[in-house]
Amino acid sequence: AQSVTQLDSHVSVSEGTPVLLRCNYSSSYSPSLFWYVQHPNKGLQLLLKYTSAATLVKGINGFEAEFKKSETSFHLTKPSAHMSDAAEYFCVVSEGFQKLVFGTGTRLLVSP
Amino acid sequence: GAGVSQSPSNKVTEKGKDVELRCDPISGHTALYWYRQSLGQGLEFLIYFQGNSAPDKSGLPSDRFSAERTGGSVSTLTIQRTQQEDSAVYLCASSPGGYSGNTIYFGEGSWLTVV
């Protein structure tokens, strides 16, 4: 069965510094991988997805993620954090009929 | 509509009462999902519809939970004899369906509080 592990429950950065949110996955087949963001009291918004095309995926708001099969990783990065990036981020894996399996989430805190 | 619409956005109910949560998916999306987000539990899959049929109900936590979808569109999640542990945000999502790489779009959720 597929699963994802988000290695950090909280990440704190200063505005203008790089962001790294780590995700490792386990999957029997070629997975589809997603990052979703959830702002307080809001729904989930798709940041980006990997579906076996280019291994470096660019998403919205300057985020990108690299699929590394050898490391079973799909880490999310952004070169420069903005205050509005403060939110909960979920790494998600999907197989077959799109049953999404969510990681436990990483809360990103951005300080001025 | 433009996105996935859920109602009610907030519901407070007494323990033992039944509740119905409604989801309007994006027009034309054949796949529809229900998830539950609880404090300390993360996001749990409940049920998946393709059209009006539910090939995967494996996430429904008990027989008090049921869901239906009619006309390949609107879905209702029903919780009978609610318990305090049912308090959570119930998220509906839809996608064009079929392919595991399809983008899945989420609604803003129905916040259920059982008192």
Side-chain angles (χ1 to χ4, degrees), chain B residues 11-19 82-83 112-115:
Chain B
K11 175 75 176 178
V12 180
T13 190
E14 291 181 353
K15 178 180 171 182
K17 295 282 179 69
D18 296 351
V19 296
T82 51
Q83 303 294 315
L112 175 66
T113 304
V114 182
V115 297

Side-chain angles (χ1 to χ4, degrees), chain A residues 36 38 46 49 98-100, chain B residues 33 35 37 99 101 103-104:
Chain A
Y36 280 85
Q38 187 176 36
L46 180 70
K49 67 178 182 181
Q98 300 186 266
K99 181 175 174 178
L100 299 183
Chain B
Y33 311 79
Y35 284 81
Q37 187 173 25
Y99 170 49
T103 298
I104 296 179

Side-chain angles (χ1 to χ4, degrees), chain A residues 14-80:
Chain A
S14 299
E15 191 173 22
T17 64
V19 176
L20 170 64
L21 305 183
R22 298 182 294 164
C23 173
N24 286 99
Y25 70 91
S26 172
S27 176
S28 303
Y29 306 102
S30 295
S32 294
L33 292 158
F34 308 79
W35 276 96
Y36 280 85
V37 61
Q38 187 176 36
H39 288 91
N41 301 321
K42 293 290 186 183
L44 289 157
Q45 181 184 20
L46 180 70
L47 278 178
L48 49 81
K49 67 178 182 181
Y50 165 77
T51 56
S52 75
T55 57
L56 182 62
V57 182
K58 294 187 184 299
I60 62 171
N61 300 336
F63 285 94
E64 62 182 40
E66 186 171 6
F67 174 74
K68 292 186 176 180
K69 187 174 181 179
S70 60
E71 298 177 9
T72 60
S73 69
F74 191 58
H75 301 334
L76 181 70
T77 61
K78 182 173 180 177
S80 177

Side-chain angles (χ1 to χ4, degrees), chain B residues 13-17 36 62 64-65 79-88 90 112-115:
Chain B
T13 190
E14 291 181 353
K15 178 180 171 182
K17 295 282 179 69
R36 179 168 73 173
S62 74
R64 296 187 296 105
F65 287 73
I79 309 172
Q80 296 178 307
R81 305 180 304 280
T82 51
Q83 303 294 315
Q84 288 185 329
E85 63 263 28
D86 300 335
S87 296
Y90 290 83
L112 175 66
T113 304
V114 182
V115 297

Side-chain angles (χ1 to χ4, degrees), chain B residues 22-96:
Chain B
R22 177 189 167 103
C23 174
D24 262 296
I26 293 172
S27 179
H29 280 190
T30 60
L32 185 147
Y33 311 79
W34 285 98
Y35 284 81
R36 179 168 73 173
Q37 187 173 25
S38 311
L39 277 175
Q41 297 292 325
L43 275 138
E44 306 170 74
F45 168 81
L46 296 179
I47 188 169
Y48 155 65
F49 287 93
Q50 181 60 38
N52 291 335
S53 64
D56 192 343
K57 307 179 184 180
S58 61
L60 293 176
S62 74
D63 59 7
R64 296 187 296 105
F65 287 73
S66 62
E68 64 174 13
R69 189 179 186 194
T70 54
S73 181
V74 172
S75 176
T76 303
L77 177 69
T78 301
I79 309 172
Q80 296 178 307
R81 305 180 304 280
T82 51
Q83 303 294 315
Q84 288 185 329
E85 63 263 28
D86 300 335
S87 296
V89 181
Y90 290 83
L91 293 166
C92 179
S94 71
S95 82

